[in-house]
Amino acid sequence: MTNVQGPAAPKLLILSLSMMLAATARAQIPEVSVTAQRAPALESKTPVAMSALSADQLTEAGIDNPSGIGARLPNVELDNLADGLRITIRGVSNADTTEKGDPSAAFLLDGIYIARPQIQNLSFYDLERVEMLRGPQGTLYGRNSTAGVVNVISKAPVNRFEAWLATEIGNYNSRKISAMLNVPVSAMLSLRAAVAWNQHDSYLTNGQHTTHTLGKDRDDLSARLSAKLKINRDATLLLRYDHSRVDDNNDSFVPDTNFYTGVAAGKPAWYGSGAGAQLTNGFVPPNAAPEQGYAHKTTSGISADLTWDLGPATLNYTGSHRSYDHDALANFYYRVAPTLALGVRQNFSGEYTQNSHELRLATNGDGPLSAQAGLYYFREQSSQTYVFRDLQPLGLPPYYVFPHGPTIATSKALFGQATYRLGDKLRATAGARYTDDRKSRVGSTNFQQGAVFNPATDFALLNAASMGTHQTTWRLGADYDLAPATLLYAAVATGYKAGGFNDGCLAGTVQLGLGCPTALAVPSNTLIYQPETVRSYEGGVKTRFWDNRASLNLSAFHYDYRNLQLSGVAIVAGAPRFVTANAGEASVKGLEAEGQLALSPQDRVSYAAALLDAHYVRYSPDSVHDWAGNKLDRSPAHTLTLGYEHSFALPDGELAAGLRSRRSASSIIAVPTQLLQYRIPAYTESDATLHYRPRKAQWSVLARVKNIENKVRPLAIDSFGMTVPSDPRTVDVRVDYRF
C-alpha cells in the first residue's frame, strides 16, 4: 500500500469526505415546500393528506396535462373527457360539466379558481409543482372542494438569466415544442416568458366508412408571460398573463358495445377485445351522415398577486380576470332504445368570463399563535347554445335547440383559520368559512324547423331559475411531533358544494317574453337540487426514517355525505334533458399510504397504496330500485403503484432507467337514469423511462413509453352509451437544452 503524505493528504481527505457527503445527500429524500395551507411550509410538516409533484417529476413521467396525475397518486383519478376534466378523489366526482354545474374538486392555477372543466385540462409547461389535496378543504379553499383540491403552480420570474428549449417526437405523429426565457431587467423587475405547442393524431380509428378524422387527438398552443416587481423592501407584485388556443376534435368516444355485451338486456358484461377494436368507432348511423367534428377553444387570463409584509402580519391580494370561448361540432352515438341507436349531430357555442378577488391577512413571527383571515369574491357569467339535429325519429323537429344565457354565478365568502401551539410538540387548529352563493339562468328549449327560430312555425319552452344558498364550513384539528421527523395529525372537517337547477320553470314565471303556464311548469323540488355536503374524519402520520432515506405518509379517513349530486340524461315531457338530482346519502372510508425509499445514491423506490370503500347508504335512482350498498363510480377497492429508478454511471455522463406500474381493482361506472352499471375489470398499467444526461453538457435526452401493456378501458359512459376510452400505448423521445 502506498502512503499518501505531505500536502496532498489533507486535500485527498477533504475530497473523500466531500464525495461521501454528496453520496449521502443523493441517497436522502429531499424536502418539498408546499402552500397547501395558503402559506409556505414543508410537506412533511403539513397536517393534510396531500401529494406534491415537482416539475422534474412531471417531465420525467411525460405528464403535460392534468389527466396524467392520477396514475401516480393514491385514490385519485383525473380523466380528460370530451366535456372537460373529470376529477375523482376517494370516489367523489361530478358529471355535470354544463354551465349550471359545479365540480366536486376545486382546480386552481396559481391560486386562481378555474370554474369550467373544459379549460381545466390545460397544458403543463414551466411549472414549479402540482399539489393534490385529498379530502374536503372548505375552510381555506371554499365551496366545491368536497373531494379535494388540485393546485397547479407555475414558476415565477427570478432575478437571474435562465432559458431552456425542449422538443419531443413520438408515435401517433406526436410533436411537441416548449421553451422558456427568464430575464432580470433590473434589481427590482424580472420577466419570464414560456410557451408550449402540442400536437398528435387521433388515437381512434374511423370504421364508419367515411373520410372524417376522429377525436382523442391534440392540437394546442399555450403561452404565459410573468413579471415580478419588487415595489420596495417589503412589497412584491407578481403579474401573469396566459393565453391558450386548442383546435382538436370532440368526437372522442366509441359505442359502449366496443367493451360490453348484454347492454340491450340491461346487464352489461365485459368482453376482452383488443385495443385496436376498442378504439374503433364502427357505428354507421341509420338516420344521418356524420360531419367532420371539431372543437375550437380559446382561453386567456390575467392575474395579480400582491404580497406586502407589514411586520406583525403579511397582506396578500390575489385577483384575476379570465375568459373562455368554445365552438364545437360532435357526432353522437345516441342509443334511444335497447337495440336502436341514432346518429345525432350536436353544435355548441359558448362564451364565459370569470372574475375573482381574494384579500388575506396572515400573522408573522414565531409566537404561539399563527392565524389567517380573508375575504373572497367570485363571479362567472356565460352564454351558450346547444343545437341537436337528427332526432326526428323521436318525434322531435329537425333542430332541437337550447339557447341559454346569461347564466350568472356569484360567490362571496369570509374565512379564517388559526393554529395555537399548546406546547413544544402539540398544536391545535380551528377554522371556519361562511359562503353565500347566488345562481341564475334564463334560456329556453326550442323546437325548430330550421337553424333560425321562426315564431310562425317554431315554439319554445322557458328555462328560467334562480337560487341562493349559504353554508358555513369548518375544520378542527390537532397535530403532534412524535419525533423530530414524525408528525401525527387528526382533523374533523366539513365541505360544501353549491346547489343548482335543471331545465324548466316555476308556474307564473315570465322571462324573454315567454311565460310558464301551470301545465308546463316544473315542481320546485324537481327544478332545484340542493347543495351537497360532507363531514370528514381523518387521521394520519407523516414520517421520515432510516437516516432520512425513507418516507411514509399514512392517512385513514371516513366521510358522511348528504345530498350527493348525480347527473344524467332523462326523458322529460317526451324530450331528452340533462338532469341533476340529489342521491340521498353515501359513505366513504379508506386508508392511504405513499412514500419513497432511497436504497442507495443510484437506486430509488416510490410507492402509493390505497384501500377504499365508497358506497351509497341511501339511494334509489327511480324510486323503485334500491342502490344502497352499490359502489360509487370510479372507486376501486384497492390500488397499488410501485416505481423504481436506477442510475448508471457512464464514462461521459449518467443514464437513469425508471419503471412505474399501477394495479387497480375493478370499479363501476353507473348510468342511474338507465339503471345500468358497467363493471371495469381490474387492470395493470405500466410506464418506463430512460434518461441520458451527459456530464458537463447543457443537453439531455429522455425516452418514454406509457401504457406498456396497451390495454384500454372506459373512462366515462353517458346515458346514450357514448364511451370515452383511455389512451393506448404511446412512445416519445424528448431532447432538452438549457442555456
Side-chain angles (χ1 to χ4, degrees):
M1 177 181 296
T2 302
N3 292 325
V4 180
Q5 298 177 350
K11 292 182 179 180
L12 288 176
L13 179 60
I14 292 173
L15 178 63
S16 178
L17 288 173
S18 299
M19 294 177 63
M20 291 175 60
L21 290 173
T24 301
R26 288 198 304 271
Q28 292 184 339
I29 306 298
E31 286 280 13
V32 179
S33 180
V34 298
T35 54
Q37 297 291 283
R38 310 304 297 271
L42 296 178
E43 185 277 329
S44 62
K45 298 298 184 181
T46 301
V48 175
M50 66 169 297
S51 303
L53 296 175
S54 67
D56 289 342
Q57 289 175 307
L58 296 170
T59 298
E60 199 78 14
I63 300 174
D64 57 11
N65 60 61
S67 61
I69 296 175
R72 303 176 67 89
L73 307 179
N75 279 332
V76 173
E77 183 173 337
L78 283 80
D79 300 315
N80 184 19
L81 308 181
D83 56 359
L85 183 67
R86 179 75 57 81
I87 304 174
T88 305
I89 304 175
R90 294 174 172 174
V92 180
S93 188
N94 173 66
D96 187 355
T97 60
T98 67
E99 71 283 352
K100 62 184 179 59
D102 290 297
S104 296
F107 187 97
L108 287 83
L109 174 62
D110 294 319
I112 303 299
Y113 176 71
I114 307 296
R116 292 300 104 210
Q118 293 85 351
I119 55 173
Q120 291 175 356
N121 208 40
L122 43 81
S123 288
F124 280 177
Y125 61 103
D126 197 34
L127 296 184
E128 187 70 39
R129 66 186 179 278
V130 176
E131 299 176 3
M132 172 69 72
L133 283 65
R134 299 184 291 275
Q137 308 294 326
T139 303
L140 294 179
Y141 291 91
R143 66 175 191 149
N144 306 333
S145 60
T146 52
V149 171
V150 181
N151 197 2
V152 180
I153 302 167
S154 65
K155 288 192 175 181
V158 293
N159 196 31
R160 62 179 179 273
F161 177 83
E162 290 182 346
W164 56 260
L165 173 68
T167 182
E168 301 178 36
I169 58 171
N171 61 339
Y172 293 96
N173 203 24
S174 175
R175 292 149 289 166
K176 302 178 184 180
I177 298 175
S178 54
M180 182 279 298
L181 174 65
N182 187 100
V183 178
V185 179
S186 69
M188 297 177 60
L189 176 65
S190 298
L191 300 177
R192 191 179 188 97
V195 63
W197 174 70
N198 301 276
Q199 190 174 76
H200 67 70
D201 293 344
S202 173
Y203 294 151
L204 302 180
T205 300
N206 188 346
Q208 298 177 301
H209 312 301
T210 70
T211 59
H212 302 140
T213 58
L214 300 181
K216 291 195 73 70
D217 60 330
R218 188 172 184 183
D219 186 357
D220 59 71
L221 177 65
S222 303
R224 182 188 305 114
L225 178 63
S226 307
K228 188 174 185 179
L229 176 64
K230 192 170 181 59
I231 300 172
N232 56 39
R233 185 184 64 181
D234 301 316
T236 301
L237 177 64
L238 177 58
L239 299 174
R240 291 184 174 99
Y241 172 77
D242 66 87
H243 181 84
S244 296
R245 188 201 70 209
V246 179
D247 295 302
D248 56 12
N249 192 333
N250 262 17
D251 287 345
S252 58
F253 29 71
V254 297
D256 54 1
T257 51
N258 279 25
F259 294 88
Y260 298 91
T261 61
V263 177
K267 297 181 179 180
W270 179 273
Y271 71 94
S273 60
Q278 292 168 335
L279 293 170
T280 298
N281 186 355
F283 171 63
V284 179
N287 60 315
E291 297 180 16
Q292 177 59 60
Y294 61 83
H296 305 309
K297 309 171 191 174
T298 58
T299 180
S300 60
I302 185 168
S303 66
D305 191 335
L306 173 66
T307 302
W308 189 2
D309 188 344
L310 303 175
T314 295
L315 180 69
N316 178 262
Y317 165 76
T318 304
S320 171
H321 170 79
R322 300 197 64 85
S323 62
Y324 164 55
D325 298 325
H326 187 185
D327 182 45
L329 167 66
N331 297 277
F332 286 175
Y333 171 83
Y334 211 81
R335 187 169 52 243
V336 296
T339 57
L340 174 63
L342 302 177
V344 175
R345 291 168 290 180
Q346 187 223 18
N347 292 86
F348 173 82
S349 61
E351 298 178 352
Y352 307 77
T353 60
Q354 69 167 63
N355 295 283
S356 62
H357 305 273
E358 182 180 82
L359 187 66
R360 186 166 50 88
L361 190 67
T363 60
N364 294 328
D366 299 324
L369 177 67
S370 61
Q372 56 182 303
L375 301 170
Y376 177 78
Y377 174 80
F378 172 86
R379 186 180 191 271
E380 181 190 33
Q381 179 169 329
S382 64
S383 297
Q384 47 285 130
T385 301
Y386 304 81
V387 179
F388 295 86
R389 295 177 281 162
D390 313 313
L391 284 168
Q392 295 93 319
L394 296 183
L396 293 171
Y399 290 82
Y400 181 46
V401 185
F402 296 82
H404 285 147
T407 301
I408 300 174
T410 61
S411 182
K412 304 173 185 177
L414 171 67
F415 64 92
Q417 182 165 299
T419 298
Y420 188 78
R421 192 166 64 236
L422 300 173
D424 292 339
K425 299 181 179 181
L426 179 64
R427 295 159 295 275
T429 298
R433 186 183 190 107
Y434 175 80
T435 303
D436 182 85
D437 287 322
R438 295 287 185 269
K439 283 186 180 181
S440 66
R441 183 186 67 166
V442 293
S444 60
T445 301
N446 294 1
F447 301 83
Q448 301 177 192
Q449 298 301 314
V452 178
F453 187 83
N454 183 351
T457 59
D458 307 333
F459 71 96
L461 301 178
L462 178 63
N463 294 326
S466 62
M467 67 174 301
T469 57
H470 58 85
Q471 187 80 19
T472 298
T473 52
W474 50 266
R475 181 182 185 88
L476 296 174
D479 57 281
Y480 179 76
D481 295 323
L482 185 64
T486 301
L487 175 72
L488 301 179
Y489 67 92
V492 181
T494 62
Y496 154 70
K497 178 181 171 183
F501 37 73
N502 295 303
D503 293 343
C505 52
L506 297 176
T509 304
V510 178
Q511 292 276 8
L512 304 175
L514 298 173
C516 187
T518 302
L520 299 176
V522 176
S524 61
N525 61 348
T526 301
L527 181 66
I528 305 294
Y529 56 88
Q530 299 304 310
E532 177 182 293
T533 62
V534 61
R535 179 173 294 186
S536 164
Y537 305 87
E538 183 154 356
V541 58
K542 296 186 175 184
T543 184
R544 288 167 174 253
F545 52 98
W546 194 21
D547 194 25
N548 201 29
R549 295 167 62 185
S551 66
L552 169 65
N553 292 349
L554 183 67
S555 61
F557 54 90
H558 176 82
Y559 298 170
D560 289 324
Y561 263 94
R562 298 291 185 273
N563 288 327
L564 200 66
Q565 296 170 7
L566 297 182
S567 306
V569 175
I571 302 300
V572 179
R577 308 281 186 93
F578 192 80
V579 176
T580 297
N582 296 109
E585 302 176 15
S587 172
V588 179
K589 55 186 176 182
L591 184 68
E592 298 165 349
E594 64 176 335
Q596 299 181 59
L597 297 172
L599 301 177
S600 73
Q602 295 79 33
D603 299 275
R604 187 170 299 248
V605 173
S606 60
Y607 62 91
L611 301 176
L612 183 64
D613 176 14
H615 63 271
Y616 298 109
V617 174
R618 179 174 56 86
Y619 176 46
S620 174
D622 60 354
S623 300
V624 176
H625 295 81
D626 184 7
W627 277 22
N630 287 13
K631 283 186 175 183
L632 301 186
D633 282 10
R634 302 172 183 84
S635 57
H638 54 83
T639 57
L640 175 63
T641 302
L642 286 175
Y644 174 68
E645 181 180 298
H646 180 78
S647 297
F648 299 88
L650 302 179
D652 57 348
E654 180 184 72
L655 182 66
L659 178 65
R660 180 177 296 272
S661 187
R662 179 184 177 94
R663 175 69 178 178
S664 173
S666 64
S667 59
I668 294 291
I669 294 179
V671 182
T673 56
Q674 307 297 321
L675 297 176
L676 293 174
Q677 296 188 75
Y678 297 86
R679 179 181 177 273
I680 301 172
Y683 67 90
T684 300
E685 188 170 291
S686 306
D687 305 334
T689 60
L690 198 61
H691 200 166
Y692 174 63
R693 303 180 182 90
R695 186 174 294 110
K696 296 182 180 180
Q698 295 172 291
W699 60 274
S700 64
V701 179
L702 173 62
R704 299 174 296 220
V705 55
K706 299 180 184 179
N707 188 7
I708 296 173
E709 297 82 357
N710 199 29
K711 297 294 185 180
V712 178
R713 65 188 186 281
L715 300 178
I717 306 173
D718 78 351
S719 302
F720 300 104
M722 287 188 291
T723 301
V724 178
S726 62
D727 295 348
R729 180 192 299 126
T730 59
V731 179
D732 63 49
V733 176
R734 173 185 172 112
V735 178
D736 282 90
Y737 189 89
R738 297 187 177 273
F739 298 89

